[in-house]
Amino acid sequence: MGSTETTTPAPREGQERDTHDLAGLEAGLDALDTVQTGRPPLRETLVQKVLPPVTAVVLVLVVWQILVWVKVTDGYKLPAPDAVWQEVENAWLQGTLLEYIWTSVSRGMFGFLMALAIGTPLGLIVARIKFVRAAIGPILSGLQSLPSVAWVPPAVIWLGLNDKMMYAVILLGAVPSIANGLVSGVDQVPPLFLRAGRTLGATGLRGTWHIVMPAALPGYLAGLKQGWAFSWRSLMAAEIIAQSPDLGMGLGQLLEAGRTNSSMSQVFLAILLILIVGIAIDLIVFSPLERWVLRSRGLLVKS
Amino acid sequence: MGTTLTKAPESAAHTVDAAGVAARIEHVSKSFATPAGQQLVLDDITLDVRQGEFVTLLGASGCGKSTLLNLVAGLDRPSAGAIATDGRPALMFQEHALFPWLTAGKNIELALKLRGLPKAERRPRTEELLTLVRLDGAYGKRVHELSGGMRQRVALARALAQDSKLLLMDEPFAALDAITRDVLHDELSRIWRETGVSVLFVTHNVREAVRLAQRVVLLSSRPGRVAHEWTVDIEQPRRIEDAAVAELSVEITEELRGEIRRHGQH
Ligand SMILES: Nc1ncnc2c1ncn2[C@@H]1O[C@H](COP(=O)(O)OP(=O)(O)OP(=O)(O)O)[C@@H](O)[C@H]1O
Ligand SMILES: [Mg+2]
């Protein structure tokens, strides 16, 4: 043990010089190695991101118009695009267009925020506490595959034809998605981060707040996105089924009213608006959020 | 003597050691339950790291180096024996383990925050640490924007931010290219001298071990035992290509090969 090596080292320059050289070398390495990242120019974004969907929409409109021209079916079954546009204009001029949209969107958003407030702690508890996970984890993921329209009849019986019933249906649709998204986000947190956090002193609640939650954010966001889609779908199902003057005129009610009036252009208008709102919320809220999170972590692969 | 038994590591394991020892590992054994029964990975390891000392732990792949480091870090408990450290040690991994949702600077600040440093002092201390690892101006950089060498330097700064008396390093430079690794050896030696921190450095690179350490400890494999120890008296600053480093490396490599060969014989 302890065999000692003593060799006279070769004469070397002073240490000052050494550190100076080192700093230079290091700066060179850093410069060579550093990844350059930047945002693509606006023109490129337009050509790559905006042009394709616009083309697709135009194509659909053209095909639609052609089908109307060749009279593929009766006029009351397939309204012409300009008849639907007429509906949009009328609703706009009467000031009801935004009212329809706002009635549904405000309901959907409020329901979604409630689902968020319930689903987040629920997901965290399921992810972190083994007993709870074993107890309700499977039920939670099973609920995700239950079409939320199934909740409408019992909700009507329990709560009556009112806003409460709408919110109940939204919650039952969205809470499982949000909770499950968070659970899978937490499950995918690399163990290395947890160990690193523990050595830094982030244990218990501090570990959850500083390490687990931010690390699980991508999965959580995916859950939120799906949660919104489920909220919106559940709400539409509820609005179509629950007709009552007290409930106001949402997009679902508009759709159902179109059916009872045998106005196909109104039905088309309602479907179009439901689709557009769903896409718009995703484009305005969730996609930018998701992209920002992924980009800031260097996870957004440029194609 | 602040030695604490492993029965209650959470409450009192990390007591300050009065005798100038940064870490005391006494008769530590560790076994894991495997399908084939209990597997003894570490067997009766006794090792001290003195305050301000730089010790490298050398051994073949799978001999239990990481296991031992995890035990010293308090991430796991020994099956037998006791470990006492002077405060909670800082730990640096082979992967940088920086949090990608934070900038380089915020990673360091998080360590300061978790250590309880008042808010007003965090930013200046972070800048100091970045200067120490020669990364002034990297505060706002995202982890993915940094090169491998820069990431490990930020990770080193974050570990130093804990202000621990003992720095545990688990093959922190193994994934880097040779030139970058060489530069980081110089940096680590300089920072070690400047801060006076004690270092327990795990590697399976013999030259790296000799280049950095005051003392090299060789672990045998299956089970891991302290097989041999060398004191390295080569004058600092050293270079990995120094003749003296090479000479001692040859001797240690011979010993390491002998250890590995023993396993082939039965
Ligand atoms: N949690 C565990 N459960 C079961 N066996 C384990 C566990 N952790 C480590 N081992 C075993 O213990 C042995 C030592 O592992 P360890 O990671 O400490 O080796 P090492 O010296 O760090 O190796 P390397 O140089 O490859 O990093 C290995 O045989 C490994 O399979
Ligand atoms: Mg290892």
Side-chain angles (χ1 to χ4, degrees):
Chain A
M1 266 235 180
S3 107
T4 309
E5 279 300 301
T6 331
T7 327
T8 16
R12 64 178 76 244
E13 307 137 62
Q15 208 179 310
E16 289 297 315
R17 177 73 187 285
D18 238 29
T19 11
H20 183 74
D21 281 356
L22 184 59
L25 183 57
E26 208 161 54
L29 280 173
D30 292 350
L32 283 175
D33 246 356
T34 306
V35 188
Q36 295 296 334
T37 48
R39 298 186 66 136
L42 185 67
R43 215 188 108 83
E44 206 172 298
T45 325
L46 281 180
V47 171
Q48 287 181 355
K49 300 276 161 65
V50 179
L51 194 62
V54 169
T55 313
V57 169
V58 170
L59 213 65
V60 167
L61 284 177
V62 168
V63 171
W64 181 4
Q65 186 64 59
I66 291 175
L67 289 179
V68 172
W69 274 333
V70 303
K71 294 199 166 42
V72 71
T73 176
D74 300 330
Y76 72 91
K77 282 189 187 162
L78 185 69
D82 66 309
V84 176
W85 181 246
Q86 201 58 52
E87 284 286 340
V88 176
E89 246 182 62
N90 287 346
W92 174 256
L93 289 176
Q94 289 166 19
T96 45
L97 185 71
L98 290 180
E99 201 184 303
Y100 298 148
I101 296 177
W102 179 243
T103 304
S104 290
V105 167
S106 58
R107 244 183 222 145
M109 272 297 172
F110 185 66
F112 175 73
L113 290 179
M114 278 198 294
L116 191 72
I118 297 171
T120 305
L122 181 66
L124 215 50
I125 290 169
V126 171
R128 300 289 275 176
I129 301 173
K130 275 207 185 100
F131 184 84
V132 179
R133 169 177 289 213
I136 65 172
I139 302 173
L140 214 53
S141 37
L143 275 182
Q144 245 185 313
S145 53
L146 181 73
S148 41
V149 64
W151 291 114
V152 175
V156 170
I157 293 170
W158 288 329
L159 299 165
L161 277 178
N162 50 32
D163 273 347
K164 261 195 250 166
M165 159 264 170
M166 302 260 181
Y167 292 130
V169 174
I170 293 179
L171 287 182
L172 287 163
V175 167
S177 295
I178 295 174
N180 273 318
L182 186 52
V183 170
S184 65
V186 171
D187 286 349
Q188 282 163 23
V189 174
L192 182 65
F193 289 159
L194 301 178
R195 297 206 304 144
R198 275 176 64 194
T199 56
L200 294 177
T203 49
L205 273 183
R206 300 213 296 174
T208 304
W209 178 249
H210 288 295
I211 315 292
V212 176
M213 283 297 281
L217 192 58
Y220 180 53
L221 271 184
L224 290 192
K225 212 170 145 166
Q226 203 191 28
W228 163 253
F230 277 39
S231 297
W232 189 238
R233 272 187 233 173
S234 325
L235 177 64
M236 287 309 112
E239 283 187 350
I240 289 171
I241 294 178
Q243 298 281 327
S244 152
D246 309 338
L247 288 176
M249 196 69 161
L251 294 176
Q253 279 104 356
L254 181 68
L255 178 60
E256 181 61 13
R259 188 185 68 82
T260 38
N261 299 340
S262 299
S263 164
M264 201 58 191
S265 45
Q266 194 183 339
V267 168
F268 265 56
L269 169 68
I271 291 178
L272 219 60
L273 289 179
I274 293 171
L275 189 67
I276 288 172
V277 169
I279 294 175
I281 299 277
D282 191 76
L283 279 180
I284 295 167
V285 181
F286 294 104
S287 292
L289 208 59
E290 200 170 27
R291 284 229 304 285
W292 171 74
V293 165
L294 294 182
R295 175 173 292 137
S296 69
R297 295 174 187 207
L299 295 173
L300 201 64
V301 187
K302 266 192 232 119
S303 47
Chain B
M1 183 66 243
T3 307
T4 322
L5 291 179
T6 51
K7 305 296 180 289
E10 243 55 273
S11 53
H14 304 305
T15 42
V16 178
D17 205 332
V21 175
R24 170 151 292 175
I25 302 163
E26 280 181 314
H27 304 294
V28 163
S29 298
K30 177 74 185 171
S31 39
F32 289 109
T34 62
Q38 288 285 314
Q39 185 200 355
L40 186 63
V41 172
L42 294 174
D43 184 23
D44 196 22
I45 306 265
T46 296
L47 178 70
D48 277 1
V49 179
R50 288 189 294 278
Q51 233 135 53
E53 195 182 16
F54 199 126
V55 178
T56 52
L57 206 56
L58 195 65
S61 204
C63 76
K65 305 182 293 290
S66 299
T67 304
L68 183 58
L69 229 51
N70 281 338
L71 293 178
V72 178
L75 291 177
D76 204 354
R77 298 172 188 205
S79 312
I83 293 175
T85 54
D86 187 359
R88 185 184 32 223
L91 175 57
M92 218 182 128
F93 307 88
Q94 178 172 344
E95 308 86 8
H96 54 79
L98 295 173
F99 303 128
W101 56 90
L102 299 174
T103 61
K106 290 284 179 196
N107 263 282
I108 298 171
E109 269 186 34
L110 178 60
L112 296 172
K113 179 180 185 163
L114 290 168
R115 188 188 112 196
L117 200 72
K119 199 173 166 80
E121 294 169 38
R122 283 179 214 152
R123 183 69 195 250
R125 179 73 187 129
T126 302
E127 300 287 1
E128 261 174 56
L129 286 162
L130 281 172
T131 306
L132 183 66
V133 296
R134 276 199 244 268
L135 279 173
D136 314 74
Y139 184 92
K141 282 266 179 3
R142 289 281 170 180
V143 174
H144 68 273
E145 296 170 328
L146 303 172
S147 71
M150 292 161 92
R151 287 175 200 175
Q152 284 302 26
R153 271 144 66 205
V154 176
L156 178 59
R158 187 177 73 177
L160 292 170
Q162 288 181 254
D163 207 24
S164 305
K165 299 269 175 30
L166 177 63
L167 176 59
L168 305 170
M169 304 179 87
D170 194 354
E171 306 189 37
F173 307 143
L176 301 175
D177 66 273
I179 297 178
T180 306
R181 193 187 313 142
D182 198 30
V183 167
L184 286 186
H185 287 159
D186 289 351
E187 289 296 15
L188 179 58
S189 286
R190 175 181 63 83
I191 288 166
W192 167 62
R193 280 197 306 272
E194 280 179 24
T195 58
V197 68
S198 323
V199 182
L200 182 57
F201 186 105
V202 159
T203 178
H204 49 229
N205 181 333
V206 179
R207 281 206 173 213
E208 178 172 74
V210 176
R211 156 73 184 82
L212 291 170
Q214 293 178 304
R215 196 148 57 95
V216 177
V217 176
L218 177 66
L219 283 190
S220 64
S221 301
R222 273 182 241 170
R225 293 197 181 104
V226 176
H228 210 51
E229 255 184 70
W230 292 265
T231 306
V232 187
D233 279 349
I234 305 167
E235 187 191 324
Q236 297 269 14
R238 302 168 192 160
R239 294 212 155 280
I240 201 145
E241 62 272 7
D242 282 346
V245 171
E247 199 177 319
L248 182 54
S249 300
V250 169
E251 182 188 328
I252 296 177
T253 305
E254 214 29 69
E255 196 80 29
L256 178 59
R257 286 191 177 157
E259 276 303 323
I260 295 169
R261 231 175 266 129
R262 271 194 321 112
H263 288 276
Q265 286 163 2
H266 40 255

